[in-house]
Amino acid sequence: MVSSSISAPPRRRSRLWTGNFGLYFTARVVSMLGDTMMPVALAVAMISLGYGVSGIGYALGAWMGSFALFVVFGGVFADRFHPLPQMIGADAVRCAAQGSFALYLWLGHPTLWFVIGGSVLGGIATAMFQPGTASLVPQVSADPTQANGVLRVSEGASTMAGPAIAGVLVATTSTAWVFAIDAATFAISGICLVALALRLPRFTSGRQESTLANLREGWQEFRSRSWLWAVILIWWVLGVCVWGPLTPLGAASVIAEHGKAAFGYAEGAFGAGCVLGGLVAIRIRPARPLLGGAVAMFAFPMMPLAAALVPDLPLLMLGYAVSGVGWAFWGVQWSTTVQTQIPQDRLNRVTAYEVGGSILAIPFGQVLAGPASGLFGVRPLLLAGAAIGLGCALALVLVRPVRTLVRRDTGASPSAGKDGGS
């Protein structure tokens, strides 16, 4: 007689939901919730304080600019030592910065220079935090694609909930509460990161080398992969012409037509689309991930188009949601590609160049949004952004190294080939 214990296969333990991944997941979700509330609150605060579209652009541009300038150093430090301590420290700094801004809003009328200074400090802290997010994913999960899909879904949910909550708060209370909640999310994120128990050995690559040598090695890794720098060049166009101006111009357009809360609801709809796009990315894994992501990016221009046309609120939210689907699907394919094609001991530095390169263009677009809107108008700039977004998606499809890169399910070894990662 065959034992029932033999006939029933043992239950497989989840490869994803370990204690470490649960803590990392919580840290990312609560931090993202606060982050997605901040642009809505900042846009409304700048308009309420009398600083207008230019004030929004200056504040966001200061954050993005300082982030882009310092993120490469964050990547070097993360590879030389370990990303976790500097991520925890960055959370502490961001908690203090956002809490101070909330207090100032409660007590008085913040000057533009105070807002810009706080944005610079927050950008530098985020530059120390961001590179480690890529290298920690393979450390806390055995399946980077699944982990990135789950994280993208959760980030999409935060992107959906955060702006909507911010829109309700700024319409019913004050923007100070939004920044206070943002400060609390950084505190929770830091506590979760402190509780992580990473068993993998710490990165020690380049500890005996100078910072300049580490930067040079990271740059060589970056430039040797044509698919990587080709995407970043396309992202420069997207950042300056579309993504950078989108928040200040979209805020001005939507708030003028439908009020403060509507902008939060529209951004929340974008987050709902990101949830759907992340769920689709978990189920569908293209053999050529960047090609699949590029096709999805044809949906992204729906957001600037909707912001330009400003239809009734349901249609406006639909346009933002469709855009979010494409954005999230691309994001999962891109993040997983970088994490699995780049050797782990150099991933933080390459990620820093990748993030810095793609982000650096955005503050130019943000700062130029105000003056450009005065010359050309808000709606024509948003329509131009939608057309340029379509062109960028087409460029991703046409560039051969991007189109032909083959998916890899596990991380690259240090001896992996350069161009194409194989």
Side-chain angles (χ1 to χ4, degrees):
M1 183 175 178
V2 179
S3 169
S4 61
S5 64
I6 297 178
S7 60
R11 185 178 179 180
R12 292 182 61 189
R13 186 178 180 181
S14 172
R15 300 176 63 200
L16 181 63
W17 290 105
T18 61
N20 272 344
F21 184 76
L23 288 167
Y24 181 74
F25 174 85
T26 302
R28 288 283 296 272
V29 168
V30 297
S31 179
M32 180 63 66
L33 180 65
D35 282 347
T36 54
M37 294 171 69
M38 191 270 290
V40 175
L42 187 61
V44 173
M46 292 295 98
I47 292 175
S48 300
L49 292 170
Y51 300 131
V53 174
S54 294
I56 301 172
Y58 295 150
L60 293 176
W63 188 96
M64 285 288 185
S66 57
F67 171 82
L69 290 174
F70 284 90
V71 70
V72 291
F73 296 99
V76 167
F77 299 149
D79 272 340
R80 291 188 70 178
F81 307 106
H82 195 282
L84 200 55
Q86 69 187 54
M87 292 171 72
I88 295 168
D91 273 338
V93 171
R94 294 189 291 180
C95 177
Q98 297 298 74
S100 299
F101 189 38
L103 184 61
Y104 203 157
L105 284 169
W106 273 318
L107 297 178
H109 189 283
T111 65
L112 181 59
W113 288 113
F114 179 86
V115 178
I116 292 175
S119 295
V120 169
L121 184 62
I124 294 173
T126 305
M128 297 298 107
F129 182 94
Q130 189 64 34
T133 60
S135 62
L136 283 184
V137 170
Q139 294 184 64
V140 298
S141 172
D143 187 342
T145 300
Q146 186 183 11
N148 281 310
V150 169
L151 288 168
R152 187 65 62 171
V153 169
S154 66
E155 290 172 1
S158 297
T159 305
M160 174 179 59
I165 294 171
V168 171
L169 288 174
V170 299
T172 59
T173 58
S174 72
T175 54
W177 280 107
V178 182
F179 290 101
I181 293 171
D182 195 17
T185 63
F186 289 129
I188 295 171
S189 172
I191 292 170
C192 289
L193 293 176
V194 168
L196 278 177
L198 297 180
R199 298 179 180 179
L200 295 180
R202 295 186 174 186
F203 296 148
T204 58
S205 174
R207 278 197 177 189
Q208 304 303 319
E209 298 177 355
S210 66
T211 299
L212 182 60
N214 289 159
L215 286 170
R216 188 182 300 114
E217 183 180 8
W219 172 250
Q220 291 299 326
E221 288 288 334
F222 174 84
R223 67 183 294 272
S224 65
R225 291 168 169 83
S226 55
W227 60 268
L228 186 58
W229 56 258
V231 170
I232 300 306
L233 288 177
I234 294 170
W235 239 245
W236 257 86
V237 178
L238 191 74
V240 172
C241 300
V242 187
W243 193 245
L246 188 53
T247 296
L249 295 178
S253 179
V254 174
I255 291 173
E257 187 71 23
H258 294 302
K260 298 176 182 178
F263 180 59
Y265 297 148
E267 290 286 338
F270 178 79
C274 288
V275 172
L276 180 57
L279 289 171
V280 172
I282 293 175
R283 301 290 297 178
I284 300 177
R285 304 187 181 191
R288 297 180 180 181
L290 297 186
L291 176 60
V295 171
M297 276 295 291
F298 279 96
F300 173 70
M302 286 299 297
M303 182 158 61
L305 181 63
L309 300 179
V310 203
D312 291 339
L313 188 57
L315 286 177
L316 176 72
M317 294 174 64
L318 178 62
Y320 271 65
V322 171
S323 180
V325 173
W327 182 261
F329 190 86
W330 162 265
V332 172
Q333 307 309 319
W334 175 251
S335 297
T336 303
T337 299
V338 172
Q339 291 164 11
T340 55
Q341 297 283 349
I342 308 299
Q344 283 291 301
D345 62 339
R346 286 160 254 173
L347 179 57
N348 289 307
R349 279 169 287 173
V350 174
T351 298
Y353 278 107
E354 173 254 317
V355 172
S358 59
I359 293 295
L360 188 59
I362 295 177
F364 288 102
Q366 291 170 331
V367 171
L368 292 173
S373 66
L375 289 174
F376 304 106
V378 170
R379 179 172 293 183
L381 288 178
L382 287 168
L383 289 173
I388 294 170
L390 281 176
C392 289
L394 181 61
L396 289 170
V397 172
L398 293 179
V399 174
R400 188 175 182 276
V402 176
R403 184 177 70 247
T404 59
L405 186 69
V406 178
R407 178 168 61 90
R408 173 184 279 143
D409 290 322
T410 58
S413 66
S415 60
K418 303 292 184 181
D419 205 303
S422 59

